[in-house]
């Protein structure tokens, strides 16, 4: 995995240079592109000359008479050859120009994907998924286009306009200046228009996103809408979002139209001037009709590239902002990674130990979440962890597979600090079943075997039996092949949680943590899962985190967490006898009468 | 640990590609249907949306024609200036000035026409799109819930956004393609008029291009689509990698996923390169054909000029036209695929518009007012979602004004259906549901919604502030009323602890709140709605005991002075009800208060004595049936 490192080439340079450095990783293609561009431009510039020449021959201006026909044939053959050559080199220029971009994009895609997979939880906590998607899709696209629409066009335009201008002006100063007079205006106009259009495009996208969110929520929450007879309210919300977007869309049409029409006009104006002044010159004998025709032809050739100046400016602006974001992302420091010389975790006794662990989330460093938490769990033991929401009980689960690193103290497995072993080996040995997990849009079998895609079918079926999901699955028309996830069959909260449990069972971990992972499973099913799990628990350490006491009262040891510290510990009976917080919670859950509520408060 | 040996056995294949793993969605995107390029039925439907902008369309077509004519005229004016003004024996300076004046007039008209055509057609196209989308959205507000239940939101969204957008391309380009056709025929006409012989020879290349493009188009289009397809597939995999990153990391799947993603990205790269080849291969072909035509003009035309058969200006005009005449061919052939795409999008759009509306107000429906007594009655109700599979069978019960009735029963017993029927989400098959003594089919849906508040099992919040969510469509509710409601349900404290209190923006679906908190907000919403009747589906999910306590209190407050129909799961709620109705398999099994039912020793008593916290658990009925729509 070195795609991210590869993109570090050119680090420290400005963004646009850095893109160039990445582009240069394909020197062969870049060279072919540039050479093709130069040749194509040269041939392109030759065409108006040949046309002018042909007209002059046909008027017999040069030699008059028989030689003229031969000259016409020669010119025609040359023109044909030039046209073909121009076509071929333009094709190579365009093709290789795009190919360079696509190859660079391919490498960047892999780097982005790799980076996303490696960045730690603390990063993903603070970044919206939408922003990452923007980096991986739109920003990458902006960088990809830079070579073809930016760099290449600079070469193209400077040759066409520069050499062309020299040729025109050296032929006739006044007429040359007139023929080029539209260029500054059109170049300026098109740059301004492109930049405005880009800015308004971004706003429009936001508005359309807003509109689609209104619709999506309406359709997703259609029962609420109907229940409150909110259709008119929703239509008003829709109209508000829609009208704003429509108004901006109209504005964009105006900007675009104004600029294309004006550009067109200024081009035709200079053409008219060339015709006028050139016509006078032809009349006074200073110039041949052929030269005039070649001026006019030249203008038509130049019109497109000049209009594209705006695209060029836009491409630079876009590559610069997109590149900034993309490189900032790729350059991020990864907080949790293998230490140099980390060795794979060796599980022998299977003992998990927390020693005076302190922890605060990186996003809120002042709020101490865990304070001096210590406990030990041996193979075959089950530890229950209970506490109010926000007491820090889930955090304990996050520290074992190093989703976050402890601030003080240490977490060890068989005496090895989790920070000293490789992440891959650690995460294979520690499974955390979380309350809400992600379902991938693929079939149920793949989802269960997500952590072990090599697994045999029987093992998958067994895991789902343990999780009390098997009977449900085989009742589906397509069984284990049923596609679930975002666009597949939707599972209920309880079913998702059971799938999640099955998924973790596939790993055969040494430490298994259930982080409130049966909250949405009904009590009866949970009971059955628990019974099935007993066999499983023999070979590993099991941690059960829950606020439902029935889930964990059979544990060998129960930890009661309050404000990040263990305030009570012992077995269920011991804690009941203690008559403390645990007891109060127990009373509250078993006898949910109002008196118990008051007492608990 | 103990499984280590087993792992070693399997480690052999672990170096190979995992047999089943995938990244990205296993579902294919909605296939782009290659429909007909022209389907009169769909065109008629689309035309209905265009019709209001008829005038604009006529104006812009006229402008396109004028614009095209001026474009055709410009080379002719140049030719006139050369032949009649500059050439020996021509009119000299005066004619040149006339030509210049003509040129100036032409470009002025050109400017105006170009402005008008693009801005009028551009805006009209946008209007049509927005009208279409609104019509679909409005229609969806009225279609039956049973249709919505079986339709994925994602698919609807792709019609509302994606298909509507592909209509845009069609609407904008179809007017402009009128211009292309006129330009093409205009150029042919002018060339033949200038010199029929030279014109015919010059244009000999034109059919060649047509034929080449006809052969080129199908494979090229496939390659473009493949590029598009692989792109969205790679992007889909990336989005999945982002959304599921925590799961990926905790299951240590990075390696496998990366290899799979690399494959996708590489397929995408190859598809793009192939598409680029197809796109670019036309360039030398067009340039060669242009070169042949120009060479022909030079050789043939040049000799004609030498022989004084034509004037030199004609040759100049020919050379100018040649450089233009491949453009319309290119855009016209492209237009064909735009038509095809638009037709299939149009079809999908009309499909949405044609979804029947099953539940509509009767013409003589009356408004239900707050004056009604607030009773709810089911009379011999039979109802189901699928033919011959009734979910409720001949169910009758009455909820008296001010009474709270709890409905209990195992999963699939028909509880939620009762709730939906009170609100007339569906119509009964047989029997009737009355609210305040009136059949729900005889009152307006709006007034029914205003008098029957509903709290769903899964609280649904909208993007927007807390206050907007509580107020929802009761716009008359003041800020004080909202705060009072929040206080009443015990949500005030946590709302005030949010960053901006009541003005805190909620993330999508209230993602920044816990389930219990979302529940409390949905309670407050129902309280603000201040309806006579409250229908509530209690949440089954386990909420921590403290929030649970708050919710129980809020529920009490919510039911005060209202008729309540509660689908209850929790003992506390059930015991607090005035009456309990036990449903099983769509039939009413028992009813009465707690003591009566306990004495009966029936299903209720059995469930109660098993001491489960939730009444949904039927030990002998453990596993759910496969989903049959959201409602049960």
């Amino acid at each position: 995995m070195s795609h991210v490192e590869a993109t570090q080439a050119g680090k420290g340079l400005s963004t646009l240079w850095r893109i160039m450095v990445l582009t240069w990783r394909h020197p062969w293609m870049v060279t072919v592109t540039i050479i093709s561009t130069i040749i194509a431009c040269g041939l392109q510039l030759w065409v108006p000359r040949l046309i002018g020449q042909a007209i002059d021959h046909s008027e017999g201006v040069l030699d008059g008479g028989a030689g003229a026909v031969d000259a016409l044939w020669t010119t025609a053959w040359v023109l044909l050859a030039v046209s073909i050559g121009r076509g071929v080199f333009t094709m190579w220029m365009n093709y290789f120009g795009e190919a360079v971009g696509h190859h660079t994009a391919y490498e960047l895609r892999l780097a982005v994907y790799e980076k996303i997979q490696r960045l730690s939880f603390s990063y993903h906590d603070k970044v919206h998924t939408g922003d990452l998607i923007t980096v991986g899709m739109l920003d990458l696209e902006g960088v990809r286009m830079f070579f073809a629409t930016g760099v290449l066009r600079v070469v193209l335009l400077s040759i066409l306009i520069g050499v062309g201008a020299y040729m025109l002006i050296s032929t006739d100063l006044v007429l040359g200046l007139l023929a080029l007079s539209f260029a500054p205006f059109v170049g300026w106009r098109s740059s301004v228009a492109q930049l405005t259009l880009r800015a308004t495009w971004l706003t429009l996208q936001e508005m359309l996103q807003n509109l689609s969110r209104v619709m999506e929520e309406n359709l997703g929450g259609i029962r609420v809408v109907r229940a409150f007879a909110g259709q008119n309210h929703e239509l008003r919300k829709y109209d508000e979002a829609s009208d704003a977007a429509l108004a901006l869309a109209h504005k964009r049409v105006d900007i675009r139209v104004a600029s294309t029409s004006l550009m067109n006009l200024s081009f035709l104006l200079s053409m008219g001037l060339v015709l006028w002044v050139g016509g006078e010159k032809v009349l006074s004998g200073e110039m041949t009709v052929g030269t005039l025709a070649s001026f006019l032809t030249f203008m038509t050739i130049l019109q497109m590239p000049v209009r594209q100046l705006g695209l060029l400016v836009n491409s630079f602006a876009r590559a610069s902002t997109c590149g900034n974001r993309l490189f900032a992302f790729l350059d991020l420091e990864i907080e949790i990674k293998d230490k140099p010389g980390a060795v794979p975790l060796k599980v022998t006794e299977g003992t998990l130990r927390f020693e005076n662990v302190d922890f605060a989330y990186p996003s809120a460093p002042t709020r101490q979440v865990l304070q001096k938490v210590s406990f030990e769990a041996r193979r075959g033991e089950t530890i229950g962890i209970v506490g109010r929401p926000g007491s820090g009980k889930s955090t304990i689960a996050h520290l074992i597979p190093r989703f976050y690193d402890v601030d003080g103290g240490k977490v060890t497995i068989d005496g090895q600090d989790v920070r000293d072993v490789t992440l891959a080996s650690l995460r294979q040995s520690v499974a955390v079943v979380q309350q809400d997990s992600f379902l991938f849009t693929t079939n149920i079998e793949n989802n269960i075997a997500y952590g072990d895609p090599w697994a045999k079918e029987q093992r998958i079926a067994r895991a789902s039996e343990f999780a009390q999901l098997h009977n449900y699955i085989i009742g589906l028309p397509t069984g284990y092949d049923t596609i679930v996830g975002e666009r597949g069959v939707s599972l209920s909260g309880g079913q998702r949680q059971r799938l999640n449990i099955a998924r973790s069972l596939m790993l055969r971990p040494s430490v298994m943590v259930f982080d409130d992972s049966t909250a949405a499973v009904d009590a009866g099913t949970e009971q059955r899962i628990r019974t099935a799990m007993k066999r499983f628990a023999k070979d590993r350490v099991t941690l059960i985190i829950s606020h439902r006491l029935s889930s964990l009262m059979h544990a060998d040891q129960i930890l009661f967490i309050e404000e990040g510290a263990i305030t009570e510990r012992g077995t269920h009976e011991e804690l009941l006898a203690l008559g403390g917080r645990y007891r109060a919670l127990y009373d509250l859950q078993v006898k949910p009468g109002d008196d118990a509520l008051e007492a608990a408060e | 640990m103990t499984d280590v040996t087993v792992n070693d056995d399997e480690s052999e294949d672990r170096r190979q590609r995992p047999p089943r793993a995938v990244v990205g969605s296993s579902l294919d995107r909605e296939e782009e249907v290659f429909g007909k390029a022209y389907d009169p039925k769909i065109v008629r439907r689309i035309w209905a949306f265009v019709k209001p902008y008829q005038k604009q369309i006529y104006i812009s077509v006229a402008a396109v024609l004028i614009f095209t004519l001026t474009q055709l005229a410009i080379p002719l004016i140049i030719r006139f200036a050369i032949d009649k003004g500059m050439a020996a024996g021509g009119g000299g300076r005066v004619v040149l000035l006339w030509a210049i004046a003509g040129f100036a007039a032409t470009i002025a008209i050109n400017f105006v026409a170009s402005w008008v055509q693009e801005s009028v057609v551009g805006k009209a196209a946008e209007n049509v799109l927005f009208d279409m989308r609104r019509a679909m959205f409005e229609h969806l507000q009225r279609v039956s819930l049973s249709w919505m239940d079986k339709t994925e939101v994602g698919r609807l969204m792709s019609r509302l956004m994606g298909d509507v957008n592909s209509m845009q391309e069609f609407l904008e380009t179809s007017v402009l393609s009128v211009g292309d056709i006129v330009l093409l025929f205009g150029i042919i006409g002018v060339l033949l008029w200038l010199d029929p012989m030279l014109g015919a020879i010059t244009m000999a290349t034109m059919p060649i291009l047509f034929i080449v493009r006809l052969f080129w188009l199908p494979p090229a289009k496939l390659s473009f689509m493949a590029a598009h397809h692989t792109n969205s597939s790679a992007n889909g995999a990336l989005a999945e990698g982002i959304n599921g990153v925590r799961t990926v990391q905790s299951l240590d799947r990075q390696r496998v996923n990366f290899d799979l993603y690399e494959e996708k990205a590489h397929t995408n790269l190859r598809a793009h390169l192939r598409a680029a080849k197809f796109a670019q291969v036309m360039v030398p072909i067009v340039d060669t054909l242009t070169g042949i035509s120009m060479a022909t003009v030079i050789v043939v035309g040049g000799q004609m000029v030498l022989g004084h058969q034509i004037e030199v200006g004609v040759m100049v005009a020919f050379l100018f036209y040649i450089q233009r005449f491949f453009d319309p061919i290119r855009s016209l052939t492209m237009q064909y695929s735009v038509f095809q795409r638009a037709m299939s999008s149009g079809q999908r759009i009309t499909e949405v518009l044609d979804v029947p509306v099953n539940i509509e107000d009767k013409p003589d429906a009356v408004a239900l007012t707050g004056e009604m007594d607030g009773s709810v009655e089911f009379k011999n109700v039979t109802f189901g979602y699928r033919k011959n599979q009734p979910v409720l069978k001949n169910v009758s019960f009455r909820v008296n004004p001010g009474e709270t009735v709890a409905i209990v029963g195992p999963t699939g017993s028909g509880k939620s259906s009762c709730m939906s029927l009170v609100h007339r989400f569906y119509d009964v098959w047989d029997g009737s549901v009355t609210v305040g003594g009136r059949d729900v089919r005889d009152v307006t849906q709006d007034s029914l919604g205003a008098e029957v508040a509903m709290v769903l099992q899964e609280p649904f919040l909208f993007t927007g502030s807390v206050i907007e969510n509580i107020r929802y469509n009761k716009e008359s509710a003041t800020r004080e009323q909202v705060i009072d409601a929040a206080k009443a349900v015990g949500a005030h404290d946590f709302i005030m602890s949010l960053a901006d209190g009541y003005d805190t923006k909620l993330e999508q679906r209230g993602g920044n709140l816990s389930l219990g908190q979302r529940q409390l907000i949905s309670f407050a919403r129902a309280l603000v709605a201040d309806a006579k009747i409250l229908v509530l589906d209690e949440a089954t999910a386990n909420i921590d005991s403290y929030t649970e306590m708050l919710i129980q209190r809020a529920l009490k407050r919510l039911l005060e002075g209202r008729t309540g129909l509660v689908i209850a799961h929790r003992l506390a709620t059930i015991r607090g009800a005035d009456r309990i109705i036990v449903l099983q398999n769509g039939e009413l099994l028992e009813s009465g208060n707690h003591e009566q039912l306990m004495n009966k020793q029936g299903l209720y008593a059995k469930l109660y004595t098993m001491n489960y916290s939730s009444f949904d658990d039927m030990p002998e009925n453990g596993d759910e049936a496969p989903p049959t729509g959201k409602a049960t």
Side-chain angles (χ1 to χ4, degrees), chain B residues 203-213 289:
Chain B
M203 286 184 293
T205 51
M206 226 187 246
I208 298 177
L209 183 67
F210 250 120
I211 292 164
V212 169
R213 276 192 81 90
L289 292 175

Side-chain angles (χ1 to χ4, degrees), chain B residues 75-89:
Chain B
L76 284 179
I77 295 173
I78 294 174
R79 180 247 157 174
F80 177 79
I82 291 175
D83 289 341
K84 309 294 178 211
M86 301 169 210

Side-chain angles (χ1 to χ4, degrees), chain B residues 2 52 68 99 116 210 228 259 288 360 391 417-418 436-437 450 480 501 627:
Chain B
T2 47
T68 312
V116 170
F210 250 120
H228 181 78
D259 291 344
T288 305
E360 273 180 297
V391 176
S417 303
C418 286
E480 284 66 45

Side-chain angles (χ1 to χ4, degrees), chain A residues 437-513:
Chain A
S437 77
F438 188 80
L439 283 188
F440 297 89
T441 309
T442 174
N443 64 27
I444 294 183
E445 182 181 284
N446 284 354
N447 262 295
I448 295 178
Y450 199 76
D452 185 4
W454 294 272
K456 302 255 178 342
E457 265 117 54
Q458 299 123 286
R459 221 159 74 69
I460 298 171
R462 224 180 30 215
S464 82
E465 264 170 41
F466 270 124
Q468 306 300 315
L469 193 61
H470 183 70
N471 288 345
Y472 167 72
I473 297 172
I474 54 173
L476 292 169
T478 43
Y480 278 91
D481 279 333
T482 308
I483 308 253
V484 291
E486 214 178 321
R487 291 188 296 124
V489 170
S490 55
L491 299 183
S492 74
Q495 287 158 350
R496 291 167 66 110
Q497 290 193 335
R498 276 140 59 187
L499 193 149
N500 202 7
I501 291 172
R503 186 187 269 173
S504 306
L505 291 178
M506 295 299 297
L507 294 183
R508 293 188 266 220
S510 316
V511 177
M512 180 104 179
V513 187

Side-chain angles (χ1 to χ4, degrees), chain B residues 36-98:
Chain B
K36 287 184 270 186
Y38 180 78
D39 182 339
K41 264 210 312 258
I42 292 167
V43 169
R44 224 173 298 135
R45 295 292 296 271
I46 297 171
W47 178 247
F49 287 98
V50 178
K51 207 151 185 250
Y53 305 98
Q54 229 172 358
K55 212 175 79 195
Q56 281 96 317
I57 301 295
Y58 293 148
I59 292 177
S60 54
V61 169
V64 166
L65 291 178
I66 295 172
F67 175 76
T68 312
L69 289 179
T70 54
Q71 277 189 306
L72 278 173
I74 287 169
L76 284 179
I77 295 173
I78 294 174
R79 180 247 157 174
F80 177 79
I82 291 175
D83 289 341
K84 309 294 178 211
M86 301 169 210
R93 202 151 178 263
V94 186
V95 176
L96 177 64
L97 286 180
W98 272 114

Side-chain angles (χ1 to χ4, degrees), chain A residues 377-393:
Chain A
R378 294 171 181 282
R379 179 184 295 170
E381 277 184 351
T382 299
I383 307 285
I385 300 177
V386 66
R388 267 210 191 183
S391 58
K393 53 187 193 311

Side-chain angles (χ1 to χ4, degrees), chain A residues 94 109 117 119 125 217-218 226-227 233-234 239 254 280 379 428 441 450 455 539 548 589, chain B residues 1 20 26 93 123 134 141 143 231 246 249 252-254 257 280 423 426 463 472 475 542 545:
Chain A
N94 289 342
R109 265 175 197 280
Q117 289 205 333
L119 280 164
D125 289 344
E217 287 188 355
N218 171 284
R226 302 272 170 105
H233 176 74
E234 291 290 314
D239 283 341
D254 282 334
E280 300 273 8
R379 179 184 295 170
Q428 275 159 14
T441 309
Y450 199 76
D539 299 331
R548 180 148 69 184
Q589 286 191 10
Chain B
M1 295 170 30
R20 58 171 62 83
S26 295
R93 202 151 178 263
K123 286 181 187 173
R134 192 178 192 283
Q141 300 305 306
V143 304
N231 208 35
R246 287 181 174 78
Q249 289 192 1
D252 191 46
R253 247 269 292 222
Q254 291 96 317
N257 279 2
Q280 294 307 323
H423 223 292
Y426 312 95
T463 307
Y472 194 53
E475 263 129 40
N542 217 290
S545 308

Side-chain angles (χ1 to χ4, degrees), chain A residues 3 51 55 58-59 72-73 76 79-80 83 86-87 94-95 102 109-110 113 116-117 119 121 124-125 137 211-213 215 217-218 221-231 233-234 236 238-239 242 246 250 254 257 261 268 272 276 279-280 283 296-297 300 347 379 389 403 427-428 438 440-442 445-446 450 452-455 457 471-472 475 487 495 498 503 507-508 510 519 522 539 547-548 588-589 597 601, chain B residues 1-3 6-7 13-14 16 18-20 25-27 85-86 93 96-97 100 103 107 111 114-115 118 123 127 130 133-134 140-141 143 145 149 152 157 161 231 235 240 242-243 245-247 249-254 257-258 261 266 268-269 272-273 277 280 287 291-292 294 298-299 302 305-306 312 316 319-320 323 423 425-426 454 456 460 462-463 472-473 475 525 542 544-545 549 553 617 623-624 626-627:
Chain A
H3 296 272
I51 287 179
I55 290 169
S58 66
E59 280 209 303
L72 280 175
W73 274 104
L79 183 64
L80 180 59
S83 293
R86 180 185 69 180
N94 289 342
Y95 174 73
H102 284 305
R109 265 175 197 280
L110 296 183
Y113 192 83
I116 285 170
Q117 289 205 333
L119 280 164
F121 277 37
H124 291 291
D125 289 344
M137 295 179 193
L211 181 66
S212 78
R213 205 195 51 228
M215 293 194 286
E217 287 188 355
N218 171 284
I222 194 86
R223 275 160 195 278
V224 177
V225 175
R226 302 272 170 105
F228 285 83
Q231 284 97 328
H233 176 74
E234 291 290 314
R236 267 197 302 281
Y238 173 89
D239 283 341
S242 171
L246 181 61
H250 278 181
D254 282 334
V257 170
S261 304
L268 290 173
W276 187 1
E280 300 273 8
L283 278 178
L296 293 173
T297 314
T300 54
V347 180
R379 179 184 295 170
F403 293 158
R427 288 180 181 167
Q428 275 159 14
F438 188 80
F440 297 89
T441 309
T442 174
E445 182 181 284
N446 284 354
Y450 199 76
D452 185 4
W454 294 272
E457 265 117 54
N471 288 345
Y472 167 72
R487 291 188 296 124
Q495 287 158 350
R498 276 140 59 187
R503 186 187 269 173
L507 294 183
R508 293 188 266 220
S510 316
D522 62 76
D539 299 331
H547 52 252
R548 180 148 69 184
L588 179 71
Q589 286 191 10
L597 296 182
E601 275 187 289
Chain B
M1 295 170 30
T2 47
D3 294 328
V6 187
N7 274 339
D13 14 305
R14 252 152 230 272
Q16 295 164 6
R20 58 171 62 83
S25 169
S26 295
L27 287 176
M86 301 169 210
R93 202 151 178 263
L96 177 64
L97 286 180
I100 299 299
F103 193 90
I107 65 174
F111 173 67
S114 121
W115 192 301
E118 284 198 48
K123 286 181 187 173
N127 283 336
F130 277 77
R133 192 182 287 134
R134 192 178 192 283
L140 287 173
Q141 300 305 306
V143 304
L145 273 182
D149 286 343
E152 276 170 58
M157 286 307 294
M161 298 304 284
N231 208 35
N235 281 343
E240 181 195 270
I242 293 169
N243 289 321
V245 68
R246 287 181 174 78
T247 309
Q249 289 192 1
S250 52
L251 295 176
D252 191 46
R253 247 269 292 222
Q254 291 96 317
N257 279 2
F258 185 83
Y261 182 75
H266 198 251
N268 181 35
L269 172 66
H272 271 290
L273 294 180
K277 269 179 206 155
Q280 294 307 323
D287 275 0
I292 293 173
M294 287 203 285
I298 288 171
V299 174
V305 175
L306 280 174
V312 70
V316 174
L319 290 171
F320 267 89
Q323 291 173 44
H423 223 292
F425 281 172
Y426 312 95
M454 208 169 198
L456 301 166
F460 189 94
F462 296 89
T463 307
Y472 194 53
N473 69 334
E475 263 129 40
R525 183 194 282 160
N542 217 290
D544 72 278
S545 308
M549 184 176 79
R553 286 212 187 125
D617 315 328
D623 280 286
E624 307 93 310

